[in-house]
Amino acid sequence: MIFAERALLPDGWAEQVRITVADGHITGVCKAAAPQQGDTLVSALLPALSNLHSHAFQRAMAGMTEHRIAGRDSFWTWRDLMYRFLDRLTPAQMEAIAALVFMEMQEAGYAAVGEFHYVHHQPGGDAYADIAELSNRIFAAAHLTGIGLTHLPVLYTYGGAGQQPMAAGQLRFGNTVDDFAALLEATRAAARTLPHDTRVGIAPHSLRATNPADLARALPLANGNPIHIHVAEQPKEVADISAWLGARPVEWLLANTPIGADWCAVHATHMTTQETAALAKCGAVAGLCPITEANLGDGPFNGPGWLAAGGAFGIGSDSNVRISLTEELRTLEYSQRLRDIARNVMVEKDGSVGQRLYVGAALGGAQALGRKSGQIAVGNLADLTAIDLSHPTLCALRPDHILDGLAFAAPDTVVTDLWSAGRHRVKERRHVYREQIIAGWRKALKGLIDAV
């Protein structure tokens, strides 16, 4: 059980809170309580966030793409290097990378991850003997780390808008809808060996990587599980889809699909005012990845318009160039400030920006991953993060400023403990399998970077 000096409950901060947990769920929340023998004692307890968008393998590329080449670097030049990189990755290397990524997420305060998994085949495109080979590697990493997992196998059929053929690194992604259905069936069968909070949704990669007929056939395969899709990350993508389908990506999805609360619109960056309001009102979660979006030069999201329309949002680490929950939150707000030449943008009317960011991301991330979490409440999964209020960045703050301090001043090392559906994997600021995971990472990646 857990005893917290302070805990953030749905109705605000409470003192001397004792949490009971059974079968991965919160079974009791008692205020003004006293600790009992055997309780884990923490300074402050928060509902843990879910990282709603990750490509784990890209973590091993961090630092490789920050060297300018002749001409103007862009998302598309970055993508070329990414394709060359993944052409060399083996299943064992992918497993080791994912284990490190998931551990780093937990140490940063994330209890769960949405793994947007699009590498399915061998280099060159031939299938593995087990069609779910690489999904199984993600499962092995999740099992070792204990992170909550919503696995999102990706449908990727074409190389670009207008049904362009796939080439180079894309060949490891490719599936017809029939092949994708078989992959999904095998993946879901394998996932039954994982903890009860594991989900397997679907991820049509983007409109440019599929077509209207294939998308219509693929959507029912979600079977009530989350649906994630890249929507409007780059201006070129918007222009290409508009030229092909006669409508902008979000405009087309709103008119032609049953997009709703079980959808996550990843990188909903380049939308019109009308698209922003309509997408927010349909209940879909905006999947924002501020560090990656800044790293790739994607541009800022329309935060004020989204909040004004009542939109839900969550955060993800996408390329995993930097895994930092606090930095994702502050980068989201700072992107709005730089665009608008204003301060305290991501909050409606008055109030704490840090609290709006943290609470909003907790609820939106849980929704996007299909997890019953995001609040410390009886019946929810025990996705919990403990932070150290004695840390210099937090120790002088009143309760109503704690989340502002966390979002804008604190490092991720203020996280002392982390539970993923009750699995206590971070203790005293370190993952319980840290040494084993780092040793596996070093062994798997020896010589890989130099070979790219």
Side-chain angles (χ1 to χ4, degrees):
M1 303 307 110
I2 308 164
F3 181 83
E5 295 176 16
R6 292 185 186 276
L8 184 65
L9 305 182
D11 57 352
W13 286 101
E15 296 184 357
Q16 309 297 302
V17 179
R18 188 169 187 268
I19 309 292
T20 55
V21 176
D23 297 324
H25 291 83
I26 298 170
T27 57
V29 178
C30 184
K31 303 177 186 179
Q36 297 184 20
Q37 186 174 4
D39 285 356
T40 299
L41 307 179
V42 301
S43 177
L45 196 66
L46 304 172
L49 267 62
S50 295
N51 183 327
L52 56 65
H53 189 68
S54 164
H55 310 302
F57 77 90
Q58 293 178 15
R59 170 67 176 82
M61 290 173 54
M64 294 178 59
T65 63
E66 312 306 327
H67 183 86
R68 186 173 179 84
I69 59 176
R72 184 178 181 184
D73 275 354
S74 68
F75 166 85
W76 308 100
T77 58
W78 171 89
R79 190 180 72 162
D80 289 342
L81 188 141
M82 184 265 286
Y83 288 166
R84 296 201 306 273
F85 177 78
L86 70 85
D87 257 347
R88 299 178 181 273
L89 287 178
T90 67
Q93 288 168 333
M94 289 192 176
E95 180 179 332
I97 295 167
L100 182 87
V101 167
F102 296 164
M103 177 197 76
E104 290 181 328
M105 288 177 184
Q106 289 173 298
E107 290 185 341
Y110 294 111
V113 60
E115 184 60 27
F116 197 98
H117 178 72
Y118 54 79
V119 187
H120 303 303
H121 307 308
Q122 301 180 58
D126 289 340
Y128 288 99
D130 180 352
I131 192 174
E133 168 70 26
L134 295 182
S135 285
N136 287 333
R137 298 296 183 149
I138 300 299
F139 292 165
H143 177 74
L144 173 61
T145 60
I147 199 167
L149 177 66
T150 294
H151 192 57
L152 298 159
V154 170
L155 173 64
Y156 201 118
T157 308
Y158 301 104
Q163 302 178 204
Q164 297 177 32
M166 289 183 295
Q170 294 173 328
L171 297 174
R172 295 195 77 172
F173 313 160
N175 283 297
T176 65
V177 177
D178 289 339
D179 290 340
F180 179 70
L183 168 67
L184 196 60
E185 182 179 3
T187 301
R188 285 179 169 153
R192 295 190 188 107
T193 64
L194 294 177
H196 63 84
D197 56 303
T198 306
R199 301 288 297 273
V200 178
I202 65 168
H205 179 274
S206 56
L207 287 178
R208 60 183 163 85
T210 184
N211 66 27
D214 286 354
L215 182 61
R217 289 182 59 207
L219 291 178
L221 299 175
N223 195 28
N225 290 290
I227 300 169
H228 289 218
I229 184 170
H230 292 130
V231 291
E233 182 175 5
Q234 288 282 326
K236 181 181 183 300
E237 178 180 19
V238 175
D240 288 349
I241 297 299
S242 298
W244 174 38
L245 297 179
R248 297 162 55 88
V250 172
E251 178 187 13
W252 190 92
L253 287 169
L254 288 166
N256 293 280
T257 68
I259 189 167
D262 53 346
W263 285 58
C264 180
V266 183
H267 306 310
T269 305
H270 296 283
M271 299 190 294
T272 66
T273 302
Q274 292 76 17
E275 289 169 350
T276 299
L279 185 61
K281 290 176 181 176
C282 82
V285 176
L288 309 176
C289 306
I291 293 175
T292 294
E293 289 156 2
N295 182 270
L296 296 179
D298 288 345
F301 172 71
N302 179 5
W306 187 259
L307 295 183
F313 69 90
I315 59 171
S317 57
D318 194 350
S319 70
N320 297 301
V321 65
R322 168 98 169 108
I323 299 173
S324 171
L325 184 156
T326 57
E327 194 169 321
E328 295 287 1
L329 295 176
R330 70 182 65 120
T331 302
L332 173 56
E333 169 64 20
Y334 287 165
S335 69
Q336 310 297 300
R337 296 184 186 190
L338 287 168
R339 182 197 57 223
D340 294 348
I341 315 178
R343 298 193 71 252
N344 298 326
V345 178
M346 284 291 291
V347 63
E348 307 95 315
K349 300 180 180 178
D350 302 331
S352 161
V353 178
Q355 181 158 333
R356 182 66 179 92
L357 289 169
Y358 192 94
V359 172
L363 292 171
Q367 177 183 329
L369 298 196
R371 291 181 72 81
K372 195 173 189 304
S373 61
Q375 291 183 321
I376 299 176
V378 172
N380 278 3
L381 288 170
D383 286 355
L384 303 166
T385 299
I387 60 173
D388 179 9
L389 293 185
S390 70
H391 190 276
T393 58
L394 303 176
C395 65
L397 298 178
R398 300 195 310 264
D400 58 338
H401 288 166
I402 289 172
L403 292 180
D404 292 318
L406 180 67
F408 294 104
D412 290 319
T413 52
V414 299
V415 173
T416 62
D417 294 82
L418 187 286
W419 292 262
S420 297
R423 299 180 290 274
H424 191 185
R425 287 297 191 264
V426 176
K427 302 178 181 181
E428 298 180 354
R429 294 181 170 85
R430 294 172 63 86
H431 196 283
V432 295
Y433 296 124
R434 167 171 265 277
E435 286 75 19
Q436 175 183 344
I437 290 167
I438 290 178
W441 157 272
R442 288 174 173 161
K443 178 181 178 181
L445 267 69
K446 187 177 182 180
L448 173 66
I449 303 300
D450 292 339
V452 176

